[in-house]
Amino acid sequence: MIRTRPFRAAFALAMLAGASSAAIAGTERYAVVANGEKVGFLVAETDGGQVSVTYDVKNNGRGPTMRESIVLDDRGLPRRWHLEGTSTFQNAIDERFVREGARARWTDSTGSGSATVEGEAIYVAQEGSPWALGLYARALLADADRAIPALPGGTLTLSEGEPVEIGGVRYRAVSIHGIGLSPDTVLLDDDGALFARISPGSVTVREGFENEAEALSALAASRQAERFARIQDKVAHRFDAPVRLRNVRIFDPEGGTLGAPVSLVFHGGEIAAVEPLDSPPTPGEVVVDGAGRTVLPGLHDMHAHVSLQSALLYIAAGVTSVRDMGNDNAFLLDLQERIARGEVAGPRIVRNGFLEGRSEYSSRNGFIVDSAQEARAAVRWYAARGYWQVKIYNSMNPDWVGDIVDEAKKHGLGVTGHVPAFTDADAMIAAGYDELTHINQLMLGWVLEPGEDTRTILRLTAMKRTAGLDLSAPRVAATLDAMAARGVAIDPTAVTLELLMLSRDGAISPAVASYFDHLPTALQRRRRQGIARIESPADEAAYLGAFETIKRLLAQMHRRGIAILPGTDDATGLSVHRELQIYGEAGIAPAEVLHLATLGPEQYLGRDQRLGSIARGKLADFILVDGNPLEDLAALHRIAMVVKGGTVYFPEEIWREVGVRPFAAAPAVTLPDAGQGGDTAP
């Protein structure tokens, strides 16, 4: 049982004394639990100032396997650190750090670096296990201002929440800021040793306490919600008066054109009017100077797995509607309610129900089923709660797909998903899929041998075989013919495949190149890191060729009228912009790309009477862009204002909250005279 209580002074002093020790002696054992199931372990053995860590996780057929050797100084800071093994997608890890006096040197997947350090500094391992978070926390607690310069760059800081009680024992709850876009939260015992690393989706917890993982995940979700509610209070601007966005050019996704300068008026969550530029404001209006910028309907991500953080980042990136393709069901329903109440920022969410079969490779989302009967019951559960589709995953028994489709159609749900292992896209189309997710899931059926197992990372690595693939071959044509004839859509997630296949150690990933310099140091470091293992020049060439095949296929499907639904399977919001850029690079005209991003998804979802374009009476979901995306799709990064349901956000305010350098300044806002209207102005 977990309880939180006010922090007591005596307990605080005892914890500080423990936190200042250089190392925690003995052996520490931890279980890694994701969505209720153990998926890995961590063992840390400490002898004096030397620590050996073994860390292994396998979730959804992938995960890191690694060892760490750490030598600590008398302050508990790493003096030497060697990490070796393989990362989540089996890229090799050989990371080293050495500090000798004032000189620090390191080598990671981005290359080598060094620094001359005066005073304290702490190395943040690129591939550090959760145990490292306990190390950082102890160092920060022993520091007077709880802030230590980080190597290779940035600063680590620490904040503290109420202690957590588990089984009558209280643990200190601290959050470490400066590693990712959100802080990492850990629980420490009386000696300052790591008890747990907690997050809404997974928990690393001391062995023997696995049954507390669900409650710890819930606690993490609750505390995250409090943080994001505080951010919402700072960045959401709600006006009680009509808002006139003056001097803007509106993109029409139906005609693919950009209109002449006008004024756009919205009030009460709806678009009230599109008026001539010289139309004067009425008394009491809020006036926003559009300064000739471009207005587009809100963007879409049709392949999301929404978290509290990504919900906020979507708004900053102008994504006002998403389709969640699989999540913790209780969390997603709660998040949707919080967004609807205005407690936290987030897009409109269409929910898809996740359905997975039981295997050692199962993804821990939604329902994992052991029979066709259980699968049917899960479909009914989703239908009763208003889900839009069910999504089938890799470990599902292909023989059960017909039952799932049958049950879904009875209840008015669509069916989409991965192609289960040991079958192909043709069979799933014939079984009744309405859509396929991930373009690799479609393509693998053209290159795999019978019996090859796509529950593993083979579903990525086998893409090498598609380099130079003949897209006019009979087998390819037969699949595309079936998709076109049956109206089967594709959710390509090309940007995630680009990230997985084209990221290289030491080079900026093309998936983030257009906004790399806006990212915080730690995220820049991650995006200069390879993901898929490159074992030879032939591998390099094959992955490059495979991505060119993806682009050629996207263009061919678009020409054939197969519905393309822009999705990312990512969580930064900005990746939506890159997904659209890839479509442009494939040869799809910018106006058509913007249609795919705005009105197209709403037509697919059946909501286009209220969303997807700018017109009187439609919901006020739109973005103000500094530039013309019809000339350069990268202009989508430069969003100055986002309106979702009438609530106004200025992305520069959101980006600063998460350590991202803003892309565009907020427009000038003129409030009505006193007595003419209410507001919460920026």
Side-chain angles (χ1 to χ4, degrees):
M1 184 177 181
I2 298 175
R3 295 188 178 91
T4 61
R5 294 183 178 179
F7 197 59
R8 295 179 180 176
F11 182 51
L13 292 172
M15 288 293 289
L16 266 178
S20 65
S21 59
I24 308 300
T27 300
E28 303 165 86
R29 300 181 184 275
Y30 303 88
V32 182
V33 181
N35 296 97
E37 299 196 19
K38 183 176 178 180
V39 296
F41 68 89
L42 186 154
V43 178
E45 298 176 276
T46 302
D47 182 6
Q50 300 195 41
V51 185
S52 175
V53 176
T54 302
Y55 182 52
D56 187 85
V57 175
K58 292 295 173 285
N59 187 13
N60 191 12
R62 55 186 182 244
T65 299
M66 55 176 288
R67 292 184 63 86
E68 299 173 80
S69 298
I70 311 169
V71 178
L72 303 174
D73 64 19
D74 57 5
R75 298 165 298 171
L77 299 178
R79 185 160 51 87
R80 292 181 179 271
W81 201 335
H82 182 205
L83 306 90
E84 57 183 338
T86 54
S87 63
T88 298
F89 286 93
Q90 302 304 297
N91 192 36
I93 298 170
D94 187 6
E95 181 178 357
R96 298 171 187 269
F97 169 79
V98 176
R99 180 170 179 181
E100 296 171 330
R103 192 65 176 166
R105 306 187 310 275
W106 59 86
T107 300
D108 59 22
S109 64
T110 70
S112 297
S114 63
T116 300
V117 181
E118 295 183 6
E120 283 192 341
I122 191 164
Y123 179 71
V124 177
Q126 185 181 48
E127 292 287 352
S129 70
W131 191 87
L133 296 172
L135 185 157
Y136 306 148
R138 289 190 293 276
L140 288 161
L141 284 167
D143 186 82
D145 62 359
R146 297 187 176 183
I148 301 177
L151 298 171
T155 302
L156 292 190
T157 62
L158 181 140
S159 62
E160 190 155 5
E162 290 186 356
V164 176
E165 184 176 302
I166 302 173
V169 178
R170 284 177 293 175
Y171 296 91
R172 194 170 200 173
V174 299
S175 294
I176 302 157
H177 307 253
I179 300 175
L181 296 175
S182 279
D184 293 281
T185 300
V186 297
L187 306 183
L188 305 175
D189 66 15
D190 283 348
D191 295 320
L194 179 71
F195 173 76
R197 187 264 185 184
I198 65 174
S199 71
S202 67
V203 167
T204 300
V205 64
R206 190 169 291 169
E207 195 172 80
F209 291 86
E210 293 89 340
N211 61 341
E212 300 287 356
E214 183 178 355
L216 287 169
S217 286
L219 175 66
S222 175
R223 293 195 173 185
Q224 272 200 9
E226 292 171 2
R227 173 176 179 260
F228 286 104
R230 290 192 295 271
I231 293 175
Q232 171 77 336
D233 286 343
K234 293 170 67 174
V235 303
H237 304 283
R238 302 179 180 90
F239 299 97
D240 295 333
V243 179
R244 178 175 296 268
L245 179 54
R246 190 182 178 281
N247 188 17
V248 294
R249 302 180 68 192
I250 296 174
F251 173 70
D252 171 22
E254 281 280 19
T257 57
L258 196 61
V262 294
S263 289
L264 172 60
V265 183
F266 61 96
H267 185 224
E270 293 187 353
I271 295 170
V274 177
E275 298 183 353
L277 182 59
D278 59 1
S279 180
T282 62
E285 289 184 5
V286 175
V287 178
V288 179
D289 183 7
R293 289 163 162 161
T294 303
V295 169
L296 292 91
L299 304 177
H300 294 70
D301 190 337
M302 294 294 279
H303 195 124
H305 300 277
V306 190
S307 65
L308 282 157
Q309 175 177 281
S310 69
L312 175 69
L313 298 183
Y314 276 128
I315 292 298
V319 179
T320 57
S321 290
V322 304
R323 180 178 55 168
D324 190 289
M325 297 294 281
N327 216 314
D328 177 273
N329 291 325
F331 168 79
L332 183 60
L333 290 165
D334 178 68
L335 175 62
Q336 199 167 22
E337 291 174 2
R338 289 176 185 268
I339 292 171
R341 292 194 297 265
E343 294 176 10
V344 296
R348 302 180 193 276
I349 301 174
V350 173
R351 287 174 279 119
N352 270 19
F354 194 89
L355 270 179
E356 171 70 307
R358 177 81 57 186
S359 83
E360 61 184 304
Y361 303 106
S362 297
S363 179
R364 274 77 180 181
N365 267 327
F367 287 103
I368 302 175
V369 299
D370 293 290
S371 67
Q373 183 178 4
E374 286 187 14
R376 282 182 176 270
V379 171
R380 291 193 295 273
W381 191 95
Y382 286 128
R385 287 154 182 82
Y387 282 66
W388 195 68
Q389 289 175 320
V390 292
K391 176 190 174 184
I392 294 170
Y393 211 67
N394 288 85
S395 290
M396 183 61 67
N397 187 329
D399 294 339
W400 302 344
V401 171
D403 291 274
I404 294 168
V405 170
D406 178 66
E407 194 69 38
K409 300 305 181 185
K410 286 181 182 177
H411 296 278
L413 274 67
V415 178
T416 185
H418 289 208
V419 173
F422 313 116
T423 186
D424 59 25
D426 295 335
M428 296 302 96
I429 293 168
Y433 268 35
D434 300 293
E435 177 191 332
L436 291 160
T437 62
H438 306 298
I439 202 165
N440 60 310
Q441 294 283 324
L442 168 69
M443 298 170 69
L444 289 173
W446 303 329
V447 297
L448 288 178
E449 298 296 330
E452 290 191 295
D453 192 348
T454 55
R455 296 174 300 177
T456 69
I457 62 169
L458 180 70
R459 62 181 181 262
L460 164 65
T461 59
M463 285 296 290
K464 290 183 290 188
R465 305 175 195 175
T466 68
L469 182 68
D470 180 4
L471 296 181
S472 64
R475 187 169 187 182
V476 176
T479 305
L480 299 183
D481 286 346
M483 292 181 71
R486 295 171 179 252
V488 175
I490 182 74
D491 157 26
T493 64
V495 64
T496 293
L497 290 165
E498 180 180 49
L499 185 67
L500 293 173
M501 300 198 302
L502 301 192
S503 296
R504 299 290 182 267
D505 288 346
I508 297 172
S509 172
V512 302
S514 59
Y515 57 89
F516 177 84
D517 59 346
H518 289 260
L519 300 175
T521 301
L523 192 50
Q524 285 187 357
R525 194 178 178 200
R526 194 182 315 159
R527 291 298 173 247
R528 293 179 62 235
Q529 178 180 15
I531 298 178
R533 182 188 285 271
I534 306 296
E535 296 182 334
S536 67
D539 274 357
E540 165 86 12
Y543 278 127
L544 289 170
F547 199 71
E548 290 305 310
T549 303
I550 287 173
K551 290 181 180 178
R552 289 190 292 116
L553 181 57
L554 284 167
Q556 185 175 138
M557 289 192 294
H558 183 66
R559 287 194 300 269
R560 297 193 60 161
I562 294 170
I564 295 175
L565 305 171
T568 68
D569 200 14
D570 189 48
T572 63
L574 293 167
S575 54
V576 172
H577 308 163
R578 177 57 191 161
E579 178 79 10
L580 301 176
Q581 287 177 293
I582 291 169
Y583 299 169
E585 291 171 7
I588 301 174
E592 295 174 45
V593 171
L594 294 175
H595 181 280
L596 293 176
T598 56
L599 184 58
E602 294 300 343
Q603 291 171 329
Y604 185 74
L605 295 168
R607 306 188 309 186
D608 52 302
Q609 295 303 305
R610 294 284 277 160
L611 289 163
S613 59
I614 308 294
R616 173 181 169 84
K618 285 201 166 186
L619 297 177
D621 284 19
F622 58 84
I623 62 177
L624 179 67
V625 177
D626 190 1
N628 184 355
L630 285 169
E631 297 175 352
D632 178 13
L633 288 168
L636 290 172
H637 299 324
R638 301 192 299 274
I639 299 174
M641 185 172 83
V642 176
V643 179
K644 184 243 171 175
T647 299
V648 175
Y649 297 89
F650 303 110
E652 68 169 346
E653 297 178 340
I654 299 175
W655 292 129
R656 289 196 181 100
E657 290 290 328
V658 295
V660 173
R661 182 164 63 85
F663 296 85
V669 178
T670 302
L671 301 176
D673 293 336
Q676 291 188 332
D679 59 77
T680 58

